[in-house]
Amino acid sequence: MRFCGILVTATILVQPACNLRDAMSTDVEIVAQADAHELSVDELAEMVAQGNIPLTRAAVDQWTQLWIDYSLFAQRMAAGDSLLDTIAVATAMWSDVDSLLVVQLRVRLMDSLVRIDDTAIDSAFAAELHRFIDLIVVQVPMTVTPEEREQRRRATARLQARVAAGTSFERVIADLDPAAGAQGGRMLVTRAALPAILADTVFALTPGGLSGVVETQEAFYVVRRPRLDQVRDDFALALRDTVGRRAEVEYFAALPERWSITVRSRAPALVRQAARYPRHFAASPKVLGTYRDGAFAVADLVRWLPVLRVQDQIARATDEQLRELVQSLIQRETLFIEAQRRGFVLPLEEFQRLKDRLAEQIDEVQDALGLDVLLASPVTPDVLRRMVQLAVGRHVSEVLSGQRELAVVPPFLAEMLRSGGSWTVSYAAVDRTVERARTTRIQLARAGRVIRPPLPAPKRPSSEVPQNVR
């Protein structure tokens, strides 16, 4: 857990977990075991028979894995663990921690790579590379009639006349009607970014100048070039962003060479396998690519899958696209390392925000399982264990039968629970469950029982990963 060192200084020794395996037990009446809980063939067959799900090994295994996550979660809660200590938060929210530190790195890079002083501002404003302009655009769809086009040209002319008469550009922009295709704003542009006729107009304007109506096939434009003394602060910010983006692109473009990043030839095939069966590849050490002093394994990719949510795209992607995906994730890994080496740490207020978010997610699962009432009951540990196990089974059954929405244990929290717990799955028992569930479903259908599909899990906001995962 590479991120734990950011938040704590103590050395944490984590014992190896009991990983997913096909338990070679002669007792094929037990499908799964999660610490002190067991799930029998009869129990699971009754659950899955009630839901309109495919009665296949893969589908039944999916619900078996869900039961394991619930069971490990519920038992830790019953043992008095809030799952909100520093290690738990850093583990469960690792992608957010990763993102926040990389954002710090990028901000620091902007500060170190971009130097904008008064001389640079004056020089850039006068140079031919950029123009800082106020722009009004009135779109002209291809479907408009000649009469409608003429109406839009006249409307643009009226806007130009208001600016020429002294109405502030901000006031005119505020009055624009987006429904009529009108919009406007202040921006820093290059000649290459503009239609040719508009570019000629923009770069011919002197400071303080205002254009007439500029017409292209797609739109009508009005351009004003403000004087530097009117927009100095805005121009400095826009210039800093533009120069910063260019410096950032150059910095990231150098990552592969700086870190000696390579992607293995077999990476695309391994990525497809891992995306199709992520749980079975969760601990795979097979190497997808390497970088200086490190390697990116299939297990590392699997950890990213819940964040990126690209399994469907991976199935359709070309080998080249999958190699690019692996390289982008390796580059993200090296960015995190660079952030660590520069001494960046997660601010306490950000850590508290992540902790609060995790607490909300834990509360959702705890409420769904009804653990609050159970944990307040004055019963013996053995009775509590049995009550908690029944609560887990009841929730899975109610979700399968369409009576309750699915509450999902946060995926990285579930991963942490599995790494610290003992759990097994018997696929011989899964197959037996499928057979019994088919028989039970036939009996339910003959009795006139309506089989409803499970309700989906409510959508949760995605993890805060910056858009540019390079």
Side-chain angles (χ1 to χ4, degrees):
M1 295 184 292
R2 56 186 170 85
F3 40 80
C4 292
I6 303 165
L7 303 170
V8 293
T9 57
T11 300
I12 306 296
L13 299 179
V14 180
Q15 297 299 322
C18 176
N19 293 326
L20 174 64
R21 60 182 180 273
D22 190 347
M24 302 303 292
S25 170
T26 57
D27 182 5
V28 292
E29 291 300 317
I30 300 300
V31 180
Q33 167 266 330
D35 284 344
H37 288 180
E38 290 183 344
L39 178 64
S40 71
V41 169
D42 285 340
E43 288 176 298
L44 184 57
E46 182 69 24
M47 292 177 193
V48 297
Q50 299 177 62
N52 187 14
I53 66 169
L55 293 180
T56 62
R57 172 188 274 202
V60 172
D61 177 49
Q62 180 181 4
W63 290 91
T64 302
Q65 302 299 336
L66 184 69
W67 178 89
I68 290 173
D69 290 343
Y70 282 143
S71 293
L72 294 173
F73 173 87
Q75 289 176 85
R76 286 284 288 271
M77 297 297 291
D81 190 342
S82 68
L83 299 176
L84 291 173
D85 59 86
T86 299
I87 298 298
V89 175
T91 304
M93 310 299 283
W94 75 266
S95 64
D96 296 88
V97 174
D98 182 296
S99 298
L100 289 167
L101 292 191
V102 170
V103 166
Q104 284 192 48
L105 173 64
R106 298 172 90 137
V107 171
R108 192 67 60 84
L109 284 175
M110 288 280 283
D111 292 339
S112 63
L113 297 177
V114 180
R115 301 294 182 186
I116 303 296
D117 55 20
D118 286 343
T119 301
I121 293 172
D122 294 338
S123 175
F125 191 85
E128 291 298 312
L129 182 61
H130 304 98
R131 281 290 182 268
F132 197 53
I133 61 172
D134 291 327
L135 181 67
I136 293 174
V137 183
V138 177
Q139 301 290 340
V140 183
M142 296 293 292
T143 55
V144 301
T145 64
E147 292 77 11
E148 291 171 331
R149 182 180 181 89
E150 177 59 20
Q151 289 174 0
R152 297 197 178 211
R153 188 195 65 77
R154 291 176 180 175
T156 308
R158 288 193 293 272
L159 294 172
Q160 192 272 351
R162 290 183 63 191
V163 177
T167 304
S168 73
F169 209 87
E170 291 76 12
R171 178 69 265 173
V172 174
I173 290 175
D175 293 340
L176 294 178
D177 181 7
Q183 54 188 321
R186 178 168 289 168
M187 62 197 71
L188 186 66
V189 298
T190 62
R191 178 179 287 274
L194 301 173
I197 188 172
L198 180 61
D200 290 342
T201 300
V202 167
F203 280 80
L205 287 174
T206 58
L210 175 68
S211 76
V213 175
V214 181
E215 179 177 354
T216 68
Q217 188 65 33
E218 297 80 19
F220 297 107
Y221 303 90
V222 176
V223 186
R224 184 184 73 152
R225 185 186 179 192
R227 299 190 310 273
L228 180 57
D229 63 314
Q230 296 173 314
V231 294
R232 189 177 191 88
D233 291 343
D234 288 346
F235 176 68
L237 287 174
L239 181 64
R240 184 180 187 279
D241 288 344
T242 299
V243 175
R245 281 193 298 271
R246 188 183 306 124
E248 189 179 34
V249 167
E250 293 172 355
Y251 181 88
F252 289 120
L255 275 173
E257 182 177 354
R258 188 162 69 245
W259 282 88
S260 303
I261 294 174
T262 60
V263 177
R264 297 282 177 88
S265 60
R266 64 175 181 171
L270 291 174
V271 170
R272 290 188 181 95
Q273 292 175 358
R276 189 174 181 184
Y277 306 107
R279 203 174 290 278
H280 295 276
F281 285 88
S284 173
K286 294 180 179 179
V287 175
L288 296 173
T290 60
Y291 54 92
R292 190 178 69 248
D293 304 325
F296 188 82
V298 172
D300 299 313
L301 169 72
V302 171
R303 286 179 62 80
W304 274 104
L305 291 178
V307 179
L308 300 178
R309 302 176 184 176
V310 292
Q311 280 96 320
D312 291 341
Q313 293 94 314
I314 285 174
R316 301 188 298 270
T318 64
D319 284 2
E320 182 58 30
Q321 288 172 328
L322 295 182
R323 280 190 286 269
E324 290 176 0
L325 172 64
V326 172
Q327 175 156 318
S328 71
L329 291 175
I330 295 176
Q331 290 179 205
R332 180 57 181 265
E333 187 84 5
T334 60
L335 284 176
F336 184 90
I337 295 172
E338 290 189 359
Q340 284 186 304
R341 290 180 177 176
R342 289 171 179 258
F344 297 156
V345 296
L346 193 65
L348 290 178
E349 60 273 16
E350 290 290 353
F351 176 79
Q352 186 61 49
R353 186 175 63 84
L354 296 182
K355 183 175 181 179
D356 291 342
R357 277 180 49 203
L358 179 61
E360 291 176 2
Q361 296 171 16
I362 289 173
D363 286 344
E364 289 177 7
V365 181
Q366 188 167 322
D367 290 345
L369 297 177
L371 294 182
D372 285 342
V373 176
L374 294 182
L375 299 184
S377 304
V379 296
T380 65
D382 286 344
V383 172
L384 179 60
R385 179 190 63 77
R386 181 58 181 161
M387 290 170 64
V388 170
Q389 181 170 346
L390 290 173
V392 169
R394 181 173 61 252
H395 178 71
V396 174
S397 180
E398 290 175 350
V399 171
L400 276 162
S401 62
Q403 301 175 55
R404 180 185 288 271
E405 287 185 340
L406 179 67
V408 180
V409 179
F412 304 118
L413 180 63
E415 178 184 305
M416 186 195 78
L417 293 172
R418 286 176 180 250
S419 70
S422 171
W423 55 279
T424 60
V425 175
S426 167
Y427 285 100
V430 170
D431 292 338
R432 179 166 292 189
T433 298
V434 171
E435 295 171 3
R436 291 191 188 174
R438 287 172 179 165
T439 301
T440 301
R441 186 174 286 181
I442 291 172
Q443 294 171 347
L444 292 173
R446 287 174 177 170
R449 176 78 171 271
V450 177
I451 306 298
R452 294 180 294 181
L455 294 174
K459 290 187 178 181
R460 179 178 292 153
S462 60
S463 184
E464 297 179 6
V465 177
Q467 294 179 354
N468 296 325
V469 180
R470 300 179 185 273

